[in-house]
Amino acid sequence: MAPYPTECIQELKAHKGPVNEVCYNKSGQYCVSAGRDRTVRLWNPLSAMLLHTYTGHSRDVLGVSVASDNAKIASCGADKAVILWDVGTGEILRRYTAHWERVNSVDFNDDATVLVSGSFDATIRIWDCKSSNFSPIQVIEDCKDSIMSIQVKGPEIVAGCADGRLRVFDLRMGQLSEDYIGPAITSARLSNDGNCVLVSSLDSTIRLMDKANGRLLNEFKGHKHTEYKLQSTMTNTDAYAMSGSEDGNIMVWDVLEGSAVKTLQLHKGVVSSIDYHPSDVAMVSAGADSIIRVWS
């Protein structure tokens, strides 16, 4: 058996139009998707059952995140809004509207007390999910261009920006580290051990960076990535890197060798989003063809 997914076992069809992001919840039992059709959808990926549709955005939904307790979902979109949802009832708990351009990415902190969003307005905003205050508790304005990707882990915020810089903010220490990559970054994701950052940029290259010192550890090529926001991720063992491509492929690379080991061809058009299961050999992928595929 391959140590990475090779076979499509389910196709989830419900979004009308492209799917901008798909991600697992923390246990990997469910997945959540964000669509151009202005909806957020909750799925059982193994049975392909659509469990809930969340409607409240007035334009494309660009990003989603699931809280660690699985009770809340956050979404953001082209309507400049960040929405906090109750998973069970589908009700909107909070709607944050302080960004003045589209919001590209959103993530919860570890205990889901705080929400962090990154926007085309070049700001990162931090929201308190517990208070009734709808203003951000902090605004970070160090980025010079659109923030395409946000990930929160512990006291750190990892941000990938269109200005070609990877930024890691340590909120506890009040420190910022910056690494200049060059081309616009569309995705920056920590390895599971937290030591590295996998960075996708618009030169059809994915770079594995050492988080501590900014050293380039490896590069992965062979996919097409020059125009669209694509995500890359690592397997749960950190042994393989994977990414969608603008030609409809999903590519898998050996992290140590840097060599491509597999190309999966089923999607039509851009494969914009990919997420790896937290514990199993499984992943979900989605993009322009409006179909979410589950791989095992």
Side-chain angles (χ1 to χ4, degrees):
M1 192 174 89
Y4 46 81
T6 56
E7 188 185 350
C8 178
I9 57 166
Q10 281 292 6
E11 295 188 344
L12 316 180
K13 302 172 186 174
H15 280 286
K16 294 175 180 66
V19 181
N20 292 318
E21 185 165 16
V22 61
C23 68
Y24 282 105
N25 71 338
K26 296 298 178 272
S27 65
Q29 190 179 357
Y30 303 105
C31 67
V32 178
S33 56
R36 189 180 287 178
D37 60 7
R38 308 174 184 182
T39 67
V40 174
R41 294 175 189 251
L42 175 68
W43 307 85
N44 179 325
L46 293 180
S47 69
M49 182 182 280
L50 175 62
L51 302 171
H52 203 99
T53 301
Y54 303 86
T55 53
H57 281 284
S58 60
R59 290 183 63 193
D60 306 21
V61 188
L62 300 175
V64 280
S65 179
V66 186
S68 50
D69 62 2
N70 297 323
K72 295 185 285 291
I73 292 170
S75 62
C76 61
D79 56 3
K80 310 174 191 173
V82 177
I83 296 180
L84 183 66
W85 308 86
D86 182 289
V87 168
T89 64
E91 285 179 31
I92 294 176
L93 301 173
R94 300 269 188 287
R95 185 193 294 270
Y96 302 110
T97 54
H99 281 292
W100 43 275
E101 288 283 359
R102 70 171 188 257
V103 188
N104 295 315
S105 186
V106 67
D107 198 17
F108 287 98
N109 69 337
D110 294 340
D111 62 3
T113 54
V114 165
L115 203 50
V116 180
S117 57
S119 166
F120 194 74
D121 65 16
T123 68
I124 295 169
R125 294 178 190 250
I126 304 174
W127 318 87
D128 184 345
C129 299
K130 297 220 175 305
S131 92
S132 53
N133 181 7
F134 288 85
S135 300
I137 50 175
Q138 190 174 348
V139 181
I140 298 172
E141 300 182 279
D142 296 271
C143 305
K144 305 290 183 279
D145 202 339
S146 179
I147 295 142
M148 303 301 294
S149 166
I150 287 284
Q151 187 184 10
V152 185
K153 204 161 191 178
E156 292 181 327
I157 298 171
V158 179
C161 302
D163 62 9
R165 291 181 191 274
L166 170 68
R167 293 177 174 85
V168 181
F169 301 90
D170 187 322
L171 298 179
R172 190 181 294 153
M173 306 297 288
Q175 290 172 331
L176 162 63
S177 62
E178 263 187 33
D179 295 308
Y180 182 65
I181 303 294
I185 296 169
T186 69
S187 168
R189 201 177 277 193
L190 285 162
S191 57
N192 292 289
D193 64 12
N195 295 328
C196 309
V197 187
L198 194 67
V199 182
S200 288
S201 52
L202 290 180
D203 58 347
S204 298
T205 306
I206 298 170
R207 294 168 177 84
L208 185 65
M209 310 296 293
D210 187 312
K211 182 165 74 77
N213 57 25
R215 200 161 58 89
L216 177 66
L217 301 173
N218 221 333
E219 288 189 346
F220 311 105
K221 298 185 177 186
H223 63 308
K224 182 172 186 282
H225 183 196
T226 58
E227 289 183 77
Y228 294 93
K229 179 184 175 180
L230 302 188
Q231 291 175 324
S232 56
T233 189
M234 292 171 83
T235 58
N236 50 25
T237 60
D238 289 336
Y240 297 91
M242 9 194 37
S243 174
S245 178
E246 290 169 7
D247 55 14
N249 293 337
I250 298 168
M251 292 196 65
V252 185
W253 295 268
D254 183 300
V255 164
L256 293 178
E257 303 288 321
S259 54
V261 294
K262 188 77 178 175
T263 302
L264 304 171
Q265 300 169 306
L266 263 188
H267 283 281
K268 290 176 172 54
V270 179
V271 184
S272 49
S273 182
I274 185 167
D275 195 31
Y276 204 83
H277 194 283
S279 53
D280 287 347
V281 180
M283 67 175 179
V284 284
S285 61
D289 62 7
S290 77
I291 296 169
I292 300 164
R293 289 189 166 85
V294 184
W295 304 81
S296 177

